Amino acid sequence: MIDPLKGLPSDSIYGCFDETVKRAGRRPAVVFLSRIFTFSDLEQMVLMFASSLLRIGIKEGDMVMLYIYNLPQTVISWLALQRIGAIPVPVAPIYTAHDIEYLIKDSESETIICMDINLAYVIEVLPRTPLKRVIVTGMADLIPWHMRFLGRVFDRIPHGKIPPGRGFYKFRDLLKKGSPGSLPAYRQRKKDEIALMLYTGGTTGFPKGVPIPEGLFLYKALEWRRASESIIPLGDDINLLAAPLFHIIGQMSMAGSLLIGGELLVIFPRVVLDAYFDYIQRFRIKSMFAVPSLYRMILEHDRLDYYDLSSLLYCGVGGDVLPIEVSRRWFRRFGKPLYQGYGATELCGAISLSYTKDGAPPEGSAGRIVPGCKVKIVDPETMEPLPPGTAGELLGTSPFPVKEYWKKPEETSRCFFEIEGETWYRTKDIVRIDRKGWLYFIDRSADIIKHKGFRVAAAEIERVLQDHPAVLAACAVGVPDPVVGERVKAFVVLKEDVKGVSSYDLIRWCRERLAEYKVPSYIEFRDMLPKSRVGKLLRRELRAQEEKKLEKS
């Protein structure tokens, strides 16, 4: 059997970083707002921070929540936690107190690293959670002093106040006071031990923790980097981190550059297209991996012609279906294809990728199955295998697979199961694989809405709406949208005696309880909702109605 980790600098996550530092040394590792951190700089900060984490009481195996934007601090924290054997739990920094309270409790995190601008949410939930330590950082903590000074003078840097008291720590202080010499010897995890936990939408309305094993993360990161290797040799890439680090795409992009390639990673806290364009032109960025909506935004940007983006050689796409129209426009504009992959957080990213060695992928395809992964195409009702070339539900497995959701036995039993001694994940997505091995996405579960690459659980939105005292029933679906993939639309039935409740009222209710990307764009009132004979909401029927409206418009 072929070793799935063959070709890695080391067979552990931190070992890969350590070996990459030895090889890359003074080469640039991270660029953030014009500050360049070399691999040696990065290693020193990681070790300083890791020793401080141990000193304040974080132990091997602890879950530590990363409630921060894409910053050098995120990368340092992630690597420092790997060094001491703790488990990073990256979550969206735009989550509200309602979301963050649930995630802290569910993950059993006793430590959170947060932004000063979202600290108020952490303080609000502090008495109701197991949190013991709050580490606070700001957008400008690691930028040059003169930029920080100008940002403060012109009020261009958002910031919040850190309260005094035990259990609150400043990121910068921990970084300065670290003592790398006090660190114990590095203990390498077993390949099936948890190295990272990411959260994904749950069909019950609650996000599910996906505990990703060390071996799986390394294997998928290696294949991620191999996808572009025929046109960008290992060690030669300059990568724009164009996905958030709480998303598996962001995790794979970071790992491919910093753990495997020894290559430069360009980081921005948020999407600002002119800044992206400027840095692509200035640093001659060669690769990026993003959701389809970002490529559409690039193509439609009114200042695109002012910049030279010709250095881009590999532009990967994931997180949602790439519209053929966007793919064609991109090729006409840049003369290079977009390379799509298909995967899920539960599969630690891509189970299929478009490898550049295969040439331009066929139109509409999402790549070939990643070497070492296994798939089955089955009838979604009977779970019986279907003939080759037939569209059906995709089941997938790989070396060192995820075997369960964190503390979710019922959801685990619905999505993970054993076949001949191997754990398989049920994607609930309908795909087709042609005779040449190219995968084509056909349809997805109506329970999941894809908005700007985020997986939004319809049940979560429905649960929040049904908590409103005026709402009798609610159903949420994704409405196709050429810009963001799908927009969230909710159908609501009000209680008989209710008057004066508007869609604006319900949207405001959702905005107070959901992350911004989960809030419905539209709400339609109905007298009743379509249900099956057993009382199950027929989301597909509502989706079909919306699609017909779009066809007529």
Side-chain angles (χ1 to χ4, degrees), residues 108-306:
E108 301 170 341
S109 296
E110 294 184 350
T111 306
I112 189 167
I113 304 175
C114 71
M115 305 291 301
D116 51 7
I117 55 175
N118 57 22
L119 175 60
Y121 290 137
V122 177
I123 293 172
E124 181 181 336
V125 305
L126 203 56
R128 305 190 295 272
T129 65
L131 283 179
K132 295 179 181 177
R133 304 166 204 89
V134 179
I135 301 170
V136 186
T137 191
M139 203 76 75
D141 273 4
L142 296 182
I143 65 173
W145 71 267
H146 62 280
M147 291 182 68
R148 192 161 59 246
F149 173 76
L150 290 173
R152 297 291 189 211
V153 168
F154 293 101
D155 198 24
R156 303 297 295 172
I157 298 173
H159 61 280
K161 269 193 171 181
I162 303 171
R166 192 172 177 182
F168 287 90
Y169 303 89
K170 291 183 179 180
F171 183 95
R172 290 177 67 192
D173 290 346
L174 294 179
L175 197 59
K176 289 176 185 175
K177 295 174 182 176
S179 175
S182 65
L183 282 168
Y186 172 62
R187 184 192 78 81
Q188 184 173 323
R189 292 188 184 101
K190 295 177 182 177
K191 298 299 175 290
D192 60 354
E193 286 188 84
I194 304 172
L196 169 74
M197 191 154 81
L198 296 176
Y199 274 86
T200 188
T203 56
T204 60
F206 295 98
K208 302 169 293 189
V210 181
I212 297 174
E214 177 112 348
L216 178 61
F217 186 87
L218 286 170
Y219 156 62
K220 285 300 183 73
L222 178 61
E223 286 301 326
W224 191 273
R225 181 59 187 85
R226 281 176 171 164
S228 61
E229 195 173 3
S230 72
I231 59 173
I232 307 177
L234 203 64
D236 195 40
D237 197 13
I238 302 171
N239 178 22
L240 171 63
L241 184 61
L245 284 166
F246 58 83
H247 195 288
I248 193 62
I249 292 177
Q251 289 285 319
M252 291 289 103
S253 294
M254 175 187 71
S257 294
L258 301 183
L259 303 186
I260 296 166
E263 297 157 333
L264 179 60
L265 186 68
V266 180
I267 294 179
F268 289 91
R270 296 175 183 170
V271 176
V272 180
L273 288 184
D274 281 291
Y276 276 18
F277 297 162
D278 178 55
Y279 272 61
I280 290 169
Q281 180 175 277
R282 194 191 319 178
F283 287 93
R284 307 302 295 165
I285 288 171
K286 298 181 181 181
S287 75
M288 59 186 285
F289 212 110
V291 295
S293 58
L294 182 63
Y295 292 107
R296 182 186 289 278
M297 287 165 60
I298 290 172
L299 288 167
E300 294 176 355
H301 195 276
D302 57 6
R303 290 182 294 280
L304 178 60
D305 290 337
Y306 296 173

